Amino acid sequence: PQPSSPPPPPPAAATPTTAPGGRDADLITEEAPLRVIIAGAGVGGLALAHALRHGGNAVDVTVLERTKEFRRFGGPIQLASNALQTVRDMDPELYSSVEQAATWTGNRTNGIKDGIRDEWYAKFDLGTPAKVRKMPYTCVVERPELQQIFLDRVGDCVQKGAGVKTYSYSPTGVVVTTDKDEEIQGDVLIGADGIWSAVRATMRNEPEKGEGSGVSYSGYTVFAGELDYDSPDSNEVGYKVYIGPKQYFVITDIGHGRYQWYAFLAREPNSAETEPKPAGSVPYLRDLFDGWSPDIHAILQATTEDEVEQRDLYDRPPSVLKSWTDHRVALLGDSIHAMMPNLGQGGCQAIEDAKVISEELGRSLP
Ligand SMILES: Cc1cc2nc3c(=O)[nH]c(=O)nc-3n(C[C@H](O)[C@H](O)[C@H](O)COP(=O)(O)OP(=O)(O)OC[C@H]3O[C@@H](n4cnc5c(N)ncnc54)[C@H](O)[C@@H]3O)c2cc1C
């Protein structure tokens, strides 16, 4: 006879809560909190440490940072409305500290200019989309200042000079091995260790750099300058991107009378070593941008050699097919979705990742 109703579905496979080793979530208590190790104290790692420490859950956070001192390169960071909204959602007090350090640019003129004709190609309306969604305007914050805001609020959980070399699993969770071959036990590891991520390399059994790492040279080297500068359009223009063949130049008002510029040049990798600059970087750039907007020459003229740094830019294609997690290990920020600086979103999206990961971890706790 025909059954009167379809057979019941087979029982769902049990989710392995401890695979491949580790404590069950219901063993996490105030006395035995979830031990989260974060590799990297960049913007993403610090945002996550902050979210976990202020999230009200039983979490013990350790941030392992490879460098002994934070570097200034990368200068100020633009925090677009999405990042600021995320910060505000995560913690209004944190937002208020960022707000105090911010120079607001999202309500000014920003856009792309023809580098040679010096005419606007496009002005971006960053203000209206933020306003209609009741989101904060885009701003710029000095990166070391942003780091300090986080460091002041995450307490003593950051260990500098403690690079992560690799990790493995143990019956009680994750074991992180540092550059000094120390072993640190945790329940969860988050790789927030940037584009050359050692955590990603271990997760995927790939090298950190070079062939097979998935990281490739972007085709561009960037010179960055940061200086006191009296610009004729300060308080009116946020950033201007002067574009032209094989190079472009960006000028950004970063507030308090300070300006940042970037010169992006299409070059072979390591051009810093192979391309001589006998008179220094500033005269070299003035020659390259000969015939371009007088704004470029005015700011270069005002820049001293010690205010300029150069670095090659590397990129990774978005990782959409391979997982961003492996059991008790997850990746965030540049370690898994690095992007070129001209998007102004790498740091912003690392902050968004931090919020999502902290919420996911919070949800998994009793
Ligand atoms: C010139 C330039 C301008 C930019 N401007 C903007 C902008 O305006 N807005 C924006 O949103 N983004 C910008 N970006 C991108 C942004 O800087 C990155 O996307 C962002 O810093 C990524 O954050 P992260 O925390 O993932 O990685 P990172 O900031 O790279 O931090 C990684 C941290 O991990 C540490 N580390 C590395 N390896 C290890 C290891 N093995 N163990 C322990 N620690 C390790 C590093 O020392 C570092 O402190 C810019 C980038 C550049 C290059």
Side-chain angles (χ1 to χ4, degrees):
Q2 293 294 311
S4 56
S5 58
T15 311
T17 52
T18 54
R23 291 190 292 162
D24 281 324
D26 53 13
L27 294 180
I28 306 296
T29 61
E30 287 295 331
E31 294 70 40
L34 184 78
R35 297 160 304 166
V36 179
I37 300 174
I38 301 172
V43 61
L46 288 176
L48 178 60
H50 184 279
L52 292 172
R53 283 207 131 184
H54 293 261
N57 289 305
V59 180
D60 175 40
V61 183
T62 304
V63 184
L64 302 175
E65 165 56 46
R66 177 170 273 162
T67 52
K68 293 200 177 85
E69 288 306 323
F70 293 119
R71 293 192 63 224
R72 282 187 78 85
F73 198 95
I77 186 166
Q78 173 182 288
L79 295 179
S81 300
N82 59 314
L84 287 170
Q85 176 71 41
T86 305
V87 169
R88 191 161 69 181
D89 290 348
M90 284 199 296
D91 187 333
E93 265 185 37
L94 170 68
Y95 176 74
S96 150
S97 302
V98 174
E99 203 176 21
Q100 281 165 34
T103 294
W104 302 98
T105 52
N107 49 355
R108 300 195 200 165
T109 302
N110 298 284
I112 299 182
K113 293 185 98 170
D114 180 322
I116 295 163
R117 288 199 204 95
D118 205 12
E119 291 163 4
W120 288 99
Y121 272 135
K123 292 182 184 176
F124 304 140
D125 180 8
L126 303 178
T128 310
K131 211 169 169 183
V132 297
R133 291 170 181 81
K134 299 190 170 34
M135 292 167 86
Y137 286 130
T138 292
C139 76
V140 180
V141 182
E142 283 283 4
R143 209 179 276 251
E145 242 182 287
L146 182 64
Q147 271 166 340
Q148 200 54 53
I149 289 170
F150 279 122
L151 288 170
D152 289 345
R153 295 178 58 84
V154 297
D156 53 1
C157 69
V158 180
Q159 296 180 21
K160 288 192 207 162
V164 169
K165 188 157 79 179
T166 187
Y167 71 83
S168 58
Y169 291 111
S170 75
T172 55
V174 184
V175 183
V176 169
T177 306
T178 69
D179 290 339
K180 293 175 188 151
D181 284 329
E182 284 161 354
E183 291 194 341
I184 300 173
Q185 309 272 342
D187 295 303
V188 170
L189 168 65
I190 309 296
D193 48 347
I195 190 166
W196 311 109
S197 170
V199 177
R200 182 193 65 235
T202 303
M203 183 186 284
R204 297 190 167 172
N205 197 19
E206 293 169 349
E208 285 173 35
K209 296 186 177 180
E211 205 176 325
S213 67
V215 181
S216 56
Y217 179 57
S218 69
Y220 280 85
T221 192
V222 63
F223 290 76
E226 193 183 326
L227 65 154
D228 290 330
Y229 185 57
D230 187 13
S231 172
D233 56 15
S234 66
N235 298 321
E236 183 196 321
V237 173
Y239 65 79
K240 296 171 280 193
V241 183
Y242 297 88
I243 59 171
K246 297 197 168 181
Q247 57 193 39
Y248 57 104
F249 199 95
V250 182
I251 300 177
T252 308
D253 183 352
I254 56 173
H256 315 291
R258 307 247 335 136
Y259 269 74
Q260 168 91 42
W261 58 258
Y262 295 113
F264 293 86
L265 312 178
R267 287 289 183 281
E268 292 296 313
N270 299 320
S271 63
E273 276 94 65
T274 55
E275 206 162 321
K277 297 171 209 66
S281 299
V282 172
Y284 166 82
L285 291 170
R286 295 199 66 191
D287 278 352
L288 283 175
F289 285 90
D290 187 29
W292 285 52
S293 165
D295 287 355
I296 296 174
H297 290 277
I299 200 163
L300 283 175
Q301 178 79 42
T303 309
T304 56
E305 282 297 319
D306 61 340
E307 290 168 329
V308 185
E309 285 191 65
Q310 182 187 1
R311 76 148 77 151
D312 286 353
L313 291 173
Y314 286 80
D315 200 1
R316 281 179 63 81
S319 186
V320 287
L321 296 176
K322 289 186 186 169
S323 176
W324 297 14
T325 60
D326 172 42
H327 299 290
R328 290 165 177 267
V329 183
L331 300 166
L332 72 68
D334 274 11
S335 74
I336 190 62
H337 51 67
M339 52 193 86
M340 290 290 282
N342 46 316
L343 294 173
Q345 273 292 332
C348 296
Q349 299 204 14
I351 292 174
E352 291 204 37
D353 290 357
K355 177 167 184 281
V356 172
I357 291 179
S358 67
E359 286 171 353
E360 290 293 323
L361 284 175
R363 253 194 290 279
S364 72
L365 293 176

